[in-house]
């Protein structure tokens, strides 16, 4: 699966001039029913509150923190209603989410005592159920039956004991083949299903346990005889109990059921869109990864239960149906319906099953023995050709690279109008967002870069994930890290003009940032609960996974990496693996006497990454490694320090370096394997300077002694080309990280940045802009307007002439476009260098010409954001948003709409994107992200998230990447104690509906880091900026 995050480099919009509300806004009661569009009139309903959200000129930090009373200051800031909904949080399992309203009556003492006793009793029973077996959530270790446990089982829906006590299914019964018949009714939004599962009993057992969720099961037969089924809803399991042990052998289990087509984005869900004639069209599609196949048909829904599937779909004649395999037959049924039958699938995991019933049309081409097709809604049929050509080229590449041909005779790529992830790699039927598959006639190479990336990622999954699958979700990185790495590698080879190299470098920086937090986790992590499974779809699995594979490939020589991968695929095709299997295959081909397994385990088993400190005395270089943790220093908590020290890890680092005599070509690279805490490297000759981590191919950061930094900076000031642009970008990235951790002062950061006036390359410039933009936003959100203004001057001073020299014309290279869009977005948001005037001019020309005059696609968002700041411009953009049939243009328009500083409009967008009217709910995370970039709306957005938490988690699963994105967008710019307390209180109040998420720890940690950075640097910034 490809997650869909908003882009990495959100640039600030200057709020200095506009930060004081032109009109003091009344606080809007978010809980009230929203005004229906339009906003342009005065009829938008507002609920003035007695308190103002922000008092003109009074920023949060004007409060004395010592005297700060949380309640009163929160009230002053209009936040007193922040926990209003917390009392209503349900405490049911996140699986069931049963609603109950808590009474507000104050209980008597007696009631309280009785209540506490009951709670203690219930808690004890739960403890007994969960902990007595000692292995409730593990697969291993439960082999011996525990006679004392026989009677302690969960209670099924019917009141009888449910015969299984674990989240993972028992291994005694294995599915061999599924026959699935489904009839979705797109008028009633329901479906009828019947599944016949041929099961193999591996060990004698009295029970068959499998998954099923949200279904009305009408009839179950086993070997043709009707049997009774038990259901335990919290774990989404059903079971059939037999009076006698089932002997080893094969049996047939039949289940008939009905269910609703889901309204969220997983399971078998309904989706709709309005065509260009204004007619509403409906369709049904699937998204099963990770845990939603069980919502479409009862099944053994774990990746290791691979099986064959034969699928039949009943539909009306106007629709087509698609599934993983080619259609083998269509039968006419009564009532004008038709039934499509698809060929028997290859052996695969349940999460890869897929089917669609829709009015799509497609185009096709053949690659070797495979028919490749791209499908979309009819209105967008002229936007599919690019994807088809790209998919064909990449399929050819992978067939050759893996020396293993894609095994199916067809491969469909389908653009779904309503889709949450970026894309999903279902075997033979890959589903995409429209944005990640369709390319319009005026799309730029940057738009194509996104589409190509996602296609390359999903195609790589056909081998990594589909053919060879991780055994359990703890090793999700084997799927995602590999697909992410292959996406960059394949595009660099097949489409070098797309400049994926720089993109991959940014991805590594992003992964480093996240992994430097104490709340991060090892690449391979124990997971049990559904929320933990959802949380694995994060930067560590994808981006760190890809980064450590790059580091390994850069360490191995002579194509050993590819050889090892080919061997791994040959050996484990159609089966399941763990990380170790991959390392073993790579160790076997390595001629360097390198134990890949030993080295790589240090990168997958420990969380975080090392900081390498380099100290040089003449030709002797002392190298030291330590776990780089942003919060490790300055902690006064001895216990925390102890925990950090005792968990500190050693990595096997294939440390690379270059020096002043040879520093840019690959042949200059030298390698030193640092395995211990400290080591000494003796240089053969005297050198002026050393730069470690060549091209930032390794997943670590480097700190030099004072002399080391000075020599590097001096060298760059003399001639920037003494280092590759990736090395220059890495120096910038590393010094900002070191400053954040407190290891260097901000003065040192500015020292390095002095060289930037001579810089012309995309990677270092965009990294510098990203880092400075982040600091600007923190200052801005703290209402440190004076400092923010000085930061603006600093950026103007260092980047201004480059900003001015950018062209606003159509198309240049991807690298040039990436650079100019970053520079101009920054310039327009800071309102410097005449950028806004130019953007406004372009927008007017475009609008007047009825879009025949083109705005370069890479500048569209910048231009639209400027236009969105007036009522007139905003109205025009809303109209464009509603009628555009180009999804990429639409998303840029939406980001611009959300960049408005008009609170009424912000509220309206928030409400419309959550309820899915006008703005699709799939865009809600993007909307939150875009609003939170600006001063005007970020507190409203945060309030909105809190007020609507239950609604949000009904749409997006707890722990999912959408929820991760929403939380980080809303909270990552807080830097005060008030906000910290408030954030902690809110998440604590969620109980089982989110308080345990790792992303919550990450959010809290980020706020604390921001606070510490501000504390340390505010005064320094006054002096230095
Ligand atoms: Zn993926």
């Amino acid at each position: 699966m490809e997650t869909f995050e908003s882009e990495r480099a959100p640039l600030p919009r200057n709020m200095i001039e506009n930060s004081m509300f032109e009109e003091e806004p009344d606080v809007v009661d978010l809980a009230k029913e929203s005004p229906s569009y339009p906003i342009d009139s005065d009829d938008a309903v507002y609920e003035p509150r007695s308190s103002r959200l922000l008092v003109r000129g009074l920023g949060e930090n004007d409060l004395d923190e010592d005297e700060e009373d949380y309640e009163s200051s929160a009230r002053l800031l209009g936040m007193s209603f922040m926990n209003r909904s917390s009392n209503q949080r349900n405490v049911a399992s996140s699986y069931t989410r049963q609603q109950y309203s808590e009474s507000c009556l104050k209980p008597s003492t007696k009631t309280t005592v009785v209540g506490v006793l009951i709670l203690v009793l219930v808690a004890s029973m739960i403890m007994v159920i969960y902990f007595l077996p000692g292995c409730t959530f593990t697969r291993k270790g439960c082999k011996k039956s525990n006679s004392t446990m026989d009677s302690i089982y969960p209670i099924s829906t019917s009141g009888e004991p449910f015969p299984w006590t674990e989240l993972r299914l028992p291994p005694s019964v294995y599915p061999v083949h599924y026959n699935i018949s489904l009839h979705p009714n797109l008028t009633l939004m329901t479906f009828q299903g019947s599944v016949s599962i041929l099961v193999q009993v591996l060990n004698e057992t009295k029970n068959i346990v499998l998954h099923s969720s949200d279904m009305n099961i009408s009839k179950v037969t086993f070997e043709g005889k009707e049997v009774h089924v038990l259901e335990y809803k919290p774990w989404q399991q059903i079971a059939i109990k037999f009076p006698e042990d089932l002997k080893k052998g094969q049996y047939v289990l039949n289940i008939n059921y009905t269910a609703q087509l889901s309204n969220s984005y997983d399971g078998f869900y309904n989706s709709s869109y309005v065509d260009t004639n204004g007619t509403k069209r409906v369709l049904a599609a699937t998204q099963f990864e990770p845990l939603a196949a069980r919502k479409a048909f009862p099944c053994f829904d774990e990746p290791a239960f691979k099986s064959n599937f034969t699928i039949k779909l009943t539909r009306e004649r106007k629709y087509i149906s698609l599934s993983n395999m080619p259609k083998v037959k269509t039968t006419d049924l009564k009532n004008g319906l038709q039934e499509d039958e698809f060929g028997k699938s290859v052996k695969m995991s349940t999460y890869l099953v897929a089917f669609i019933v829709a009015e799509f049309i497609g185009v096709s081409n053949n690659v070797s023995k495979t028919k490749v097709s791209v499908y979309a809604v009819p209105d967008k049929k002229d936007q599919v050709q690019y994807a088809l050509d790209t998919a064909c080229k990449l399929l050819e590449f992978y067939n050759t690279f893996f020396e293993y041909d894609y095994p199916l005779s067809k491969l469909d790529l389908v653009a779904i109008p309503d889709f949450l992830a970026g894309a999903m790699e279902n075997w033979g039927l890959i589903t995409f967002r429209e944005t990640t598959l369709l390319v319009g006639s005026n799309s730029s190479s940057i738009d194509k870069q996104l589409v190509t990336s996602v296609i390359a990622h999903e195609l790589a999954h056909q081998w990594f994930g589909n053919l060879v699958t991780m055994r359990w979700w703890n090793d999700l990185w084997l799927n995602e890290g590999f697909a992410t790495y292959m996406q960059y590698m394949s595009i660099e080879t097949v489409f070098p003009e797309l400049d994926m190299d720089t993109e991959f470098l940014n991805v590594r920086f992003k992964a480093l940032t996240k992994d430097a937090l104490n709340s991060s986790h090892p690449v391979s992590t124990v997971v049990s609960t559904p929320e933990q499974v959802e949380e694995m779809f994060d930067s560590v699995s994808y981006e760190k996974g890809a980064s450590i594979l790059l580091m390994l490939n850069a360490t191995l020589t002579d194509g050993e990496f590819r050889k090892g991968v080919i061997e791994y695929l040959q050996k484990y095709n159609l089966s399941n693996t763990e990380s170790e299997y991959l390392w073993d295959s790579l160790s076997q081909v390595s001629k360097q006497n390198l134990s890949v397994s030993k080295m790589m385990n240090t990168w997958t088993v420990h969380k975080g990454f090392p900081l390498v400190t380099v100290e040089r005395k003449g030709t002797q270089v002392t190298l030291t490694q330590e776990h780089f943790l942003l919060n490790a220093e300055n902690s006064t908590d001895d216990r925390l320090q102890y925990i950090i020290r005792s968990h500190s890890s050693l990595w096997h680092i294939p440390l690379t370096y270059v020096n002043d005599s040879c520093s840019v070509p690959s042949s200059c690279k030298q390698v030193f394997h640092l395995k211990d805490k400290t080591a000494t490297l003796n240089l053969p000759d005297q050198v002026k300077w050393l730069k470690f981590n060549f091209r930032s191919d390794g997943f670590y950061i480097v700190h030099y002694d004072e002399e080391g930094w000075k020599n590097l900076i001096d060298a760059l000031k003399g001639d920037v080309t003494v280092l590759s642009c990736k090395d220059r970008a890495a120096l910038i990235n590393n010094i900002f990280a070191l400053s954040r951790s407190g290891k260097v002062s901000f003065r040192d950061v500015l020292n390095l940045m002095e060289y930037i006036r001579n810089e012309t390359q995309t990677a270092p410039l965009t990294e510098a802009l990203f880092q400075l933009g982040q600091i600007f936003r923190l200052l801005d959100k703290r209402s440190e307007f004076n400092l923010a203004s000085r930061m603006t001057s600093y950026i103007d001073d260092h980047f201004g002439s480059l900003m001015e020299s950018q062209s606003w014309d159509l198309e240049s290279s991807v690298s040039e476009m990436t650079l100019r869009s970053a520079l101009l977005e920054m310039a327009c948001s800071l309102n410097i260098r005449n950028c806004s005037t130019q953007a406004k001019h372009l927008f007017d020309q475009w609008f007047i010409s009825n879009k025949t005059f083109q705005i370069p696609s890479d500048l569209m968002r910048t231009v639209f954001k400027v236009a969105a700041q007036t009522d007139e411009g905003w109205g025009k953009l809303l109209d464009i948003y509603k009628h555009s049939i180009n999804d990429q243009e639409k998303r840029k328009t939406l980001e611009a709409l959300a960049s408005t500083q008009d609170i009424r409009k912000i509220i309206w967008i928030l409400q419309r994107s959550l309820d899915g009217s006008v703005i699709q709910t799939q865009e809600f995370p993007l909307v939150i992200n875009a609003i939170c970039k600006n001063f005007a709306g970020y507190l409203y957005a945060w309030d909105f998230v809190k007020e609507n938490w239950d609604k949000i988690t009904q749409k997006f699963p707890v722990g999912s990447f959408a929820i991760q994105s929403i939380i980080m967008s809303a909270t990552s710019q807080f830097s005060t104690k008030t906000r910290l307390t408030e954030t902690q209180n809110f998440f604590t109040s969620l109980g089982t509906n989110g308080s345990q998420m790792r992303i919550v720890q990450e959010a809290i940690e980020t706020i604390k880091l921001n606070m510490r950075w501000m504390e340390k640097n505010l005064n320094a910034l006054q002096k230095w900026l």
Side-chain angles (χ1 to χ4, degrees):
M1 185 157 54
E2 176 83 322
T3 58
F4 203 74
E5 288 175 67
S6 306
E7 81 299 348
R8 175 175 179 265
L11 297 172
R13 159 139 192 94
N14 181 22
M15 294 298 304
I16 297 162
E17 289 80 10
N18 304 314
S19 58
M20 304 305 163
F21 294 104
E22 272 127 44
E23 292 176 5
E24 287 178 41
D26 289 327
V27 170
V28 179
D29 190 335
L30 300 175
K32 282 269 170 193
E33 198 32 57
S34 62
S36 57
Y37 180 77
I39 327 257
D40 56 345
S41 59
D42 294 324
D43 59 7
V45 181
Y46 281 83
E47 275 285 297
R49 296 177 67 86
S50 54
S51 61
R52 298 286 185 188
L53 178 69
L54 283 173
V55 180
R56 185 191 293 272
L58 177 60
E60 283 178 60
N61 300 298
D62 298 320
L63 298 168
D64 184 340
E65 290 237 333
D66 291 334
E67 294 169 18
E68 197 175 347
D69 169 79
Y70 168 63
E71 262 302 312
S72 62
S73 61
R75 215 178 304 120
L76 176 65
L77 297 170
M79 293 296 127
S80 55
F81 57 103
M82 65 192 143
N83 286 324
R84 198 166 46 193
S85 62
S86 61
N87 288 344
Q88 291 150 20
R89 305 263 159 246
N90 61 71
V91 293
S93 146
S94 52
Y95 261 113
T96 49
R97 237 178 0 230
Q98 294 146 352
Q99 300 285 338
Y100 78 95
S101 64
E102 212 173 81
S103 165
C104 292
L105 293 173
K106 205 174 174 185
S108 68
T109 316
K110 193 177 155 192
T111 316
T112 311
V113 170
V114 173
V116 167
L117 278 174
I118 290 172
L119 271 175
V120 168
L121 200 66
V122 170
S124 312
M125 283 184 67
I126 291 169
M127 297 277 279
V128 167
I129 291 170
Y130 277 69
F131 296 115
L132 250 186
C135 58
T136 307
F137 296 116
T138 63
R139 185 143 215 148
K140 294 169 189 162
C142 256
K143 301 249 160 65
K144 281 183 237 162
S145 75
N146 184 338
S147 58
T148 61
M149 286 302 299
D150 284 351
S151 54
I152 306 176
Y153 286 110
I155 302 301
S156 60
T157 317
S158 61
E160 297 162 72
F162 190 80
W164 187 242
T165 58
E166 297 183 28
L167 275 166
R168 299 279 297 273
L169 297 180
S172 48
V173 180
Y174 198 98
V176 178
H177 182 263
Y178 291 81
N179 265 312
I180 304 168
S181 297
L182 293 162
H183 176 199
N185 183 324
L186 294 180
T187 312
L188 299 173
M189 293 303 168
T190 57
F191 66 99
Q192 276 184 336
S194 101
V195 58
S196 168
I197 314 173
L198 176 67
V199 294
Q200 176 83 39
V201 174
L202 299 170
N203 300 307
E204 292 187 5
T205 175
K206 283 195 171 69
N207 308 304
I208 294 179
V209 186
L210 64 159
H211 289 110
S212 161
S213 173
D214 301 333
M215 288 171 185
N216 302 313
I217 294 176
S218 52
K219 188 177 178 187
V220 181
T221 63
F222 184 76
E223 289 291 286
K225 277 168 69 179
E226 192 158 351
V227 288
H228 178 54
V229 68
L230 297 170
E231 181 170 19
Y232 185 55
K233 282 189 176 173
W235 289 355
Q236 303 177 333
Q237 291 174 351
I238 55 172
I240 296 121
K241 276 206 269 192
F242 299 93
E244 304 289 331
D245 271 343
L246 288 174
K247 302 279 176 247
K248 290 180 188 177
Q250 293 197 338
Y251 303 88
V252 178
L253 174 68
N254 272 301
I255 304 174
N256 294 336
Y257 59 97
T258 56
Q260 295 286 327
L261 285 169
S262 163
N263 283 320
S264 61
Y265 293 99
D266 63 359
F268 194 13
Y269 72 94
N270 75 75
S271 165
S272 65
Y273 62 97
V274 178
D275 69 15
T276 41
N277 297 324
T279 310
K280 186 180 174 187
R281 307 273 173 184
V282 288
L283 62 110
T286 56
Q287 167 62 42
F288 291 162
E289 193 182 24
L291 308 171
R294 63 192 70 170
K295 294 182 178 177
F297 57 97
C299 57
F300 296 78
D301 200 8
E302 293 181 12
F305 286 115
K306 287 195 172 184
S307 198
N308 301 109
F309 298 82
T310 304
I311 294 171
K312 291 179 189 169
L313 289 169
T314 300
R315 56 168 174 81
E316 286 176 45
R317 280 171 189 275
K318 67 175 174 178
Y319 296 111
I320 63 159
S321 74
L322 298 166
S323 186
N324 305 82
M325 302 303 289
K327 190 165 71 180
V328 289
K329 153 169 117 178
T330 296
T331 314
D332 286 331
L333 306 174
K334 55 186 179 182
N335 303 333
L337 298 173
Q338 291 185 313
E339 182 187 70
D340 295 328
E341 182 176 341
F342 299 89
K344 180 177 164 185
S345 80
V346 279
K347 217 174 138 199
M348 63 185 187
S349 307
T350 42
Y351 78 88
L352 291 169
V353 174
F355 30 85
I356 295 169
V357 175
E359 292 172 87
F360 288 161
I361 55 171
V363 293
S364 307
N365 212 340
N366 288 315
V367 173
S368 174
K369 287 174 241 148
T370 304
K371 182 181 175 192
V372 181
S373 308
V374 180
Y375 288 89
V377 300
D379 288 339
K380 298 175 184 177
K381 64 176 186 300
D382 54 355
Q383 296 178 33
V384 297
Q385 194 59 40
Y386 179 81
L388 182 64
D389 297 342
T390 303
C392 289
K393 281 183 194 153
L394 286 166
L395 187 63
E396 268 175 54
F397 170 84
Y398 285 133
N399 277 341
T400 311
F401 184 88
F402 292 132
E403 293 184 6
Y404 192 115
D405 276 358
Y406 170 78
L408 309 190
S409 62
K410 70 105 174 168
L411 174 61
D412 298 333
L413 296 87
V414 187
I416 311 268
D418 241 348
F419 194 78
L420 186 59
M424 175 64 212
E425 68 266 21
N426 316 301
W427 213 342
L429 180 62
I430 310 178
T431 44
F432 294 78
R433 273 187 180 222
E434 290 187 335
T435 310
T436 57
L437 190 68
L438 304 181
V439 171
S441 55
N442 59 354
S443 299
S444 73
S445 307
I446 291 190
D447 300 324
K448 287 176 185 163
Q449 190 192 49
L450 172 70
V451 169
T452 313
S453 259
V454 180
I455 293 175
H457 180 100
E458 303 310 327
L459 285 193
H461 269 313
Q462 306 301 306
W463 287 263
F464 274 89
N466 300 9
L467 188 65
V468 182
T469 315
M470 77 262 141
R471 189 183 302 289
W472 178 241
W473 301 106
N474 64 318
D475 273 326
L476 178 67
W477 85 275
L478 275 175
N479 274 15
E480 299 303 348
F482 226 102
T484 305
Y485 180 55
M486 288 311 300
Q487 106 190 32
Y488 294 111
M489 190 216 255
S490 63
I491 296 175
E492 270 167 48
T493 312
V494 185
F495 303 95
E497 71 281 7
L498 291 180
D499 193 32
M500 285 305 276
D501 232 19
T502 309
E503 184 63 23
F504 192 16
L505 183 68
N506 285 335
V507 158
R508 302 203 289 282
F509 291 159
K510 182 180 163 194
L512 286 166
T513 306
K514 173 146 176 158
D515 206 26
L517 297 176
N518 202 26
S519 49
S520 185
H521 62 92
V523 168
S524 230
T525 302
V526 175
V527 288
S528 314
T529 66
E531 293 78 11
Q532 288 169 344
V533 171
E534 293 282 355
E535 284 187 320
M536 288 303 280
F537 292 82
D538 71 355
S539 175
V540 172
S541 296
Y542 284 74
E543 285 143 2
K544 183 178 180 182
S547 306
I548 62 173
L549 289 170
L550 168 72
M551 180 167 65
L552 176 61
N553 194 4
T555 308
L556 297 170
T557 48
D558 298 332
E560 289 168 350
F561 181 80
R562 184 178 161 209
K563 281 181 208 156
V565 165
I566 290 169
E567 181 164 316
Y568 170 82
L569 290 172
Q570 292 285 355
K571 193 167 174 185
Y572 300 110
N573 74 75
L574 298 174
S575 59
N576 295 80
T577 60
E578 296 165 13
S579 302
E580 205 57 41
Y581 299 17
L582 176 64
W583 304 145
D584 285 347
S585 295
L586 286 157
S587 290
Q588 278 166 25
V589 298
S590 169
K591 292 180 205 130
Q592 299 175 54
N593 214 6
L594 177 72
S595 168
V596 174
S597 184
K598 266 194 184 159
M599 177 172 108
M600 293 313 287
N601 274 335
T602 67
W603 296 92
T604 54
V605 175
H606 304 147
K607 76 175 176 187
F609 59 87
L611 163 70
V612 176
T613 304
V614 180
E615 288 163 299
R616 182 158 73 97
K617 281 201 179 99
T619 55
Q620 190 176 316
V621 183
T622 308
L623 304 163
T624 314
Q625 64 160 302
E626 64 183 286
H627 185 177
F628 182 73
L629 266 178
L630 283 172
N631 65 354
E633 234 176 61
N634 295 348
S635 168
T636 50
D637 185 341
D638 290 342
R639 229 182 100 250
L640 177 64
Q641 286 292 356
Y642 171 76
I643 291 168
I644 290 166
R645 270 200 307 277
S646 58
H647 283 77
S648 67
S649 327
L650 287 179
W651 283 263
H652 176 160
I653 311 169
L655 198 61
T656 53
Y657 60 99
V658 290
N659 63 43
D660 59 287
S661 65
C662 178
S663 55
V664 178
S666 300
S667 54
C668 299
K669 179 177 88 172
Q670 301 185 62
V671 187
F672 179 85
H673 286 270
L674 178 62
K675 301 177 196 173
D676 302 319
K677 174 94 183 144
T678 308
T680 306
L681 165 69
N682 288 306
L683 302 171
D685 304 302
Q686 194 60 258
V687 295
K688 276 194 203 146
W689 50 261
L690 287 162
K691 160 73 178 67
F692 281 78
N693 199 0
F694 183 60
R695 295 183 183 170
S696 206
D697 282 348
F699 197 71
Y700 53 92
I701 64 170
V702 185
H703 184 24
Y704 303 88
D705 55 21
E706 213 180 314
E707 197 66 13
W709 275 113
K710 186 179 173 304
N711 292 338
L712 278 167
I713 293 168
D714 287 347
L716 286 175
K717 280 182 183 165
D719 175 11
V720 296
T721 63
V722 295
L723 287 175
S724 72
C725 59
K726 279 196 224 166
D727 279 314
R728 295 181 331 248
L731 285 177
I732 294 171
N733 171 277
N734 287 190
I735 201 136
F736 273 97
L738 290 165
S739 155
R740 201 136 191 258
S741 76
K743 286 199 181 290
V744 303
S745 75
F746 199 65
R747 176 76 257 172
D748 297 317
V749 174
L750 295 177
N751 281 346
L752 173 64
M753 293 298 289
E754 275 313 298
Y755 104 90
I756 207 87
R757 284 179 230 263
N758 302 331
E759 186 58 81
T760 56
Q761 294 300 302
T762 304
L765 283 167
T766 50
E767 180 59 19
L769 283 171
F770 170 74
Q771 297 288 354
L772 293 170
Q774 275 202 317
I775 294 174
F776 175 90
R777 271 205 309 280
L778 281 181
L779 295 171
D780 183 41
K781 299 287 161 56
R782 271 178 78 109
S783 307
E784 293 283 352
F785 299 132
N786 178 33
L787 277 178
S789 166
R790 281 152 74 172
M791 178 61 91
T792 304
S793 305
Y794 178 88
I795 292 170
D796 192 350
D797 190 34
H798 288 74
F799 301 85
S801 55
L802 207 54
M803 287 166 171
E804 262 181 9
S805 68
Q806 298 304 306
S807 107
W808 292 74
D809 299 336
L810 286 176
E811 285 286 339
S812 43
S813 76
V814 169
S815 175
E816 282 162 3
M817 278 191 283
T818 308
L819 177 59
R820 82 166 173 187
S821 59
L823 283 166
L824 294 177
E825 186 156 6
M826 177 70 97
C828 278
S829 69
L830 298 181
N831 210 5
I832 54 177
R833 301 280 168 163
N834 221 17
C835 182
S836 304
T837 314
Q838 186 80 1
K840 177 89 182 46
H841 178 63
L842 227 60
F843 182 78
D844 290 342
Q845 267 183 292
W846 179 70
F847 195 79
I848 290 163
S849 75
N850 202 16
K851 294 193 191 180
T852 51
F853 170 84
Q854 276 187 30
I855 298 171
S857 167
D858 58 303
L859 297 180
M860 217 172 235
R861 190 173 58 190
T862 300
V863 170
F864 287 175
K865 276 187 180 176
V866 171
Q869 303 312 314
T870 65
D871 277 348
E872 191 196 349
W874 198 87
K876 286 175 182 170
L877 285 165
L878 181 61
D879 202 48
I880 290 162
Y881 178 80
K882 285 180 181 167
H883 297 108
S884 172
I885 59 160
N886 180 324
D887 205 54
Q888 287 170 339
E889 179 183 287
K890 234 177 140 152
R891 283 174 63 85
K892 288 167 193 160
T893 317
L894 181 58
E895 281 182 83
L897 289 170
S899 77
T900 176
Q901 286 149 48
D902 183 333
I903 299 302
R904 295 169 308 166
K905 295 188 177 96
I906 288 171
I907 304 291
W908 184 84
I909 292 174
L910 285 166
Q911 288 168 334
R912 293 291 81 84
S913 57
L914 185 58
D915 68 23
S917 61
V918 189
I919 300 164
Q920 289 167 297
T921 305
Q922 65 175 4
E923 306 295 15
F924 184 70
L926 177 76
V927 164
I928 293 286
N929 183 276
I931 290 174
C932 287
K933 284 176 187 166
N934 296 314
F935 184 84
Y938 87 111
L939 292 180
Y940 282 98
W942 170 228
D943 268 346
F944 189 84
V945 168
K946 290 184 293 181
E947 290 289 317
N948 292 282
W949 184 256
D950 290 341
K951 269 190 212 162
I952 293 169
T953 50
Q954 276 159 24
K955 290 285 179 187
F956 311 107
V958 170
S960 62
F961 55 84
I963 289 289
Q964 294 174 36
S965 161
I966 290 166
I967 291 175
M968 284 316 280
S969 299
T971 63
S972 65
Q973 295 165 87
F974 292 153
S975 63
T976 63
K977 201 174 148 199
T978 309
R979 294 279 164 237
L980 173 69
T981 315
E982 183 206 319
T983 308
Q984 283 170 324
N985 287 349
F986 170 69
F987 285 115
T988 306
S989 78
L990 296 179
T992 51
N993 198 17
S995 66
Q996 298 304 313
M997 286 186 291
R998 190 184 294 117
I999 195 73
V1000 171
Q1001 298 165 37
E1002 193 181 321
I1004 302 290
E1005 200 181 340
T1006 304
I1007 300 171
K1008 285 181 181 171
L1009 277 169
N1010 293 343
M1011 286 167 64
R1012 199 189 68 190
W1013 194 88
M1014 284 291 169
E1015 239 168 66
K1016 258 191 112 156
N1017 289 292
L1018 268 184
N1019 288 336
L1021 286 172
Q1022 301 278 6
K1023 203 161 73 190
W1024 292 327
L1025 265 186

